[in-house]
Amino acid sequence: MRLGYFAMPMHPMHRPWAETLDEDREAIILCDKLGFHDAFIGEHLTDKLENINNSLLFLATLIHATKQIRLATGTSNLSQMHPTLIASHAAMFDQLAKGRFIFGISPGSLRCDAEVLGTLDEDRGKLFAEAIDVILEIWKQNPPYRIDLPGNRFKVSTEKTEALEIGLGYLGKPYQRPRPEVVGTVVAPYSKGVVLMGQRDFHPLSANFLQGKWARTHWANYAEGKQSVGEVAEVADWRLARTVFVADDEATAQRYGIEDANSPYRFYYRQIMTKFARINRLGVFKQDRDQPDSEITLEYVLRSLVICGTVNSVVDQILALREITGDFGEIVYAGMDWVEPALAKRSMELMATEVMPRVNAAIAQGQSSRPREVAAN
């Protein structure tokens, strides 16, 4: 099992923007030193707490500050920009990173982002689907392109103005051929979008605020998509994000991970719950679809979704999670605000150097799991 990193990121509003950007960079540089496989960074335009408004721009500052970690958009919000621009910017990033790039994609669900861009009344799911089709065509084709897909609003051509003999009319291609790995973040239980991911060889990343029993439905749908095109799903292609805090002693783990009023995990889930309540999506936190919203308290969410404890305890909790979800290829460590930087860094160090070797030793000894049967939706 690989170890990855994901951050939205999310910081208290009172903290200076430049300071939090520096902290987010420091976290990924530390991930690189500790041997994390990849680092996904999210983006929002209009969220003061989620401070990165262009993940590619932010990650570009890390290309030469890191050596081996793969730098991933987590995600590029495809409904917010013309796909020609996204395809070109991502291709140049991949060239700069010499292939250390993962293209994480999503529609972009924040309504205030859509309002500020004038797309509040648009079907952002449709925009997303049209955009990714065009991006992949741009990477596949050569000029003059002539991209005019049925039912797709985005038309791409340089036919009228090209002068190929002097270099005019070209769009850049990625360093990785035929394209970078494409990853989609998945939140909804039984998401049918994961079937489409399997069909197109995109890879799912199940969100850290989704209960394990619902995350396992993503694997079933991904495998269904693969099977429909005559392929076999690879466990290595499924990432599962979790909220983890590892400490040298149990008291510190419980204090910083759950109990303290200033716990960054408490702050994080309070914000996530508030945002999801606004759009009537508290269901992602539920163990049962009939569970009333009144039971979805902050304490309930923290106790059911935060993996925290000493090294041995966290190892046991990750292995127990695998008994619910079945095998997955990568556990993605969710980054938090560094309320106490020494503890935050120590947790990442323990996760990489102590927890993961023990988890993988247990897997090697035969404690592997297979997804259990999942009831139909």
Side-chain angles (χ1 to χ4, degrees):
M1 185 190 297
R2 304 184 306 270
L3 175 62
Y5 181 83
F6 170 83
M8 300 173 84
M10 187 183 292
H11 301 281
M13 283 191 287
H14 70 269
R15 295 193 63 192
W17 192 8
E19 177 182 280
T20 58
L21 290 171
D22 284 345
E23 182 176 290
D24 296 330
R25 290 188 76 254
E26 186 180 353
I28 295 176
I29 292 168
L30 178 60
C31 286
D32 182 60
K33 292 176 179 176
L34 292 171
F36 282 62
H37 178 76
D38 44 36
F40 290 81
I41 292 293
E43 65 180 29
H44 285 302
L45 285 175
T46 58
D47 190 331
K48 192 172 182 180
L49 281 77
E50 297 185 37
N51 60 326
I52 291 174
N53 55 34
N54 185 305
S55 53
L56 278 175
L57 181 61
F58 173 79
L59 289 168
T61 73
L62 287 154
I63 292 173
H64 299 296
T66 57
K67 295 181 179 180
Q68 58 186 3
I69 195 168
R70 290 160 178 80
L71 303 171
T73 52
T75 60
S76 288
N77 295 328
L78 302 191
S79 69
Q80 298 181 356
M81 192 181 296
H82 195 286
T84 302
L85 289 173
I86 298 174
S88 298
H89 295 167
M92 186 177 77
F93 185 98
D94 196 37
Q95 292 284 342
L96 288 167
K98 300 296 188 293
R100 283 196 295 125
F101 172 55
I102 298 170
F103 189 37
I105 58 173
S106 74
S109 60
L110 196 61
R111 286 174 54 80
C112 49
D113 281 1
E115 181 182 3
V116 80
L117 292 169
T119 59
L120 187 58
D121 296 326
E122 292 271 5
D123 182 342
R124 290 187 294 283
K126 189 172 189 298
L127 275 167
F128 165 79
E130 293 173 357
I132 189 58
D133 286 345
V134 169
I135 290 167
L136 296 180
E137 285 298 319
I138 288 172
W139 289 347
K140 185 189 305 180
Q141 294 189 25
N142 292 313
Y145 304 103
R146 299 192 189 96
I147 299 170
D148 186 358
L149 303 174
N152 193 309
R153 76 194 72 192
F154 300 112
K155 318 299 179 186
V156 179
S157 173
T158 59
E159 189 169 16
K160 293 180 181 178
T161 56
E162 68 175 23
L164 302 183
E165 69 280 4
I166 59 170
L168 299 181
Y170 283 95
L171 292 169
K173 295 190 185 301
Y175 184 87
Q176 300 172 79
R177 303 300 297 151
R179 60 166 173 81
E181 180 184 7
V182 178
V183 172
T185 303
V186 193
V187 177
Y190 299 98
S191 170
K192 293 301 180 185
V194 188
V195 178
L196 298 176
M197 286 187 196
Q199 292 170 346
R200 305 191 67 173
D201 195 32
F202 300 169
H203 300 157
L205 194 167
S206 300
N208 58 300
F209 37 77
L210 189 68
Q211 298 289 350
K213 67 178 291 186
W214 303 126
R216 75 187 185 194
T217 68
H218 298 166
W219 172 256
N221 282 7
Y222 181 67
E224 177 187 330
K226 281 288 187 183
Q227 185 177 25
S228 72
V229 293
E231 298 176 3
V232 177
E234 298 288 343
V235 166
D237 294 335
W238 181 27
R239 293 171 170 88
L240 181 60
R242 291 291 95 177
T243 316
V244 181
F245 176 63
V246 196
D248 289 297
D249 64 89
E250 190 65 30
T252 300
Q254 293 300 317
R255 175 184 69 80
Y256 191 77
I258 293 179
E259 295 170 354
D260 194 284
N262 294 321
S263 163
Y265 297 82
R266 184 171 288 270
F267 163 75
Y268 174 88
Y269 274 110
R270 184 184 296 113
Q271 290 300 127
I272 294 290
M273 290 177 64
T274 301
K275 289 176 180 178
F276 274 53
R278 282 171 55 88
I279 56 174
N280 195 31
R281 292 191 67 184
L282 286 177
V284 300
F285 302 112
K286 296 180 179 181
Q287 290 283 1
D288 187 279
R289 288 187 161 184
D290 296 327
Q291 193 173 0
D293 286 357
S294 60
E295 292 184 7
I296 311 305
T297 64
L298 181 57
E299 297 303 321
Y300 162 85
V301 169
L302 288 167
R303 295 292 176 184
S304 62
L305 288 176
V306 177
I307 295 174
C308 71
T310 60
V311 167
N312 286 339
S313 174
V314 170
V315 169
D316 289 343
Q317 290 175 71
I318 291 172
L319 293 173
L321 174 67
R322 289 179 74 252
E323 290 297 321
I324 296 170
T325 63
D327 295 339
F328 50 93
E330 179 173 318
I331 187 164
V332 182
Y333 182 105
M336 300 287 124
D337 183 73
W338 285 4
V339 173
E340 297 183 40
L343 289 180
K345 292 182 224 184
R346 180 61 173 160
S347 174
M348 294 169 67
E349 178 187 5
L350 290 171
M351 185 70 182
T353 64
E354 299 287 343
V355 171
M356 293 308 296
R358 298 186 198 190
V359 167
N360 282 317
I363 294 171
Q365 291 169 8
Q367 295 184 23
S368 61
S369 305
R370 297 185 181 276
R372 297 175 181 176
E373 293 296 321
V374 178
N377 187 9

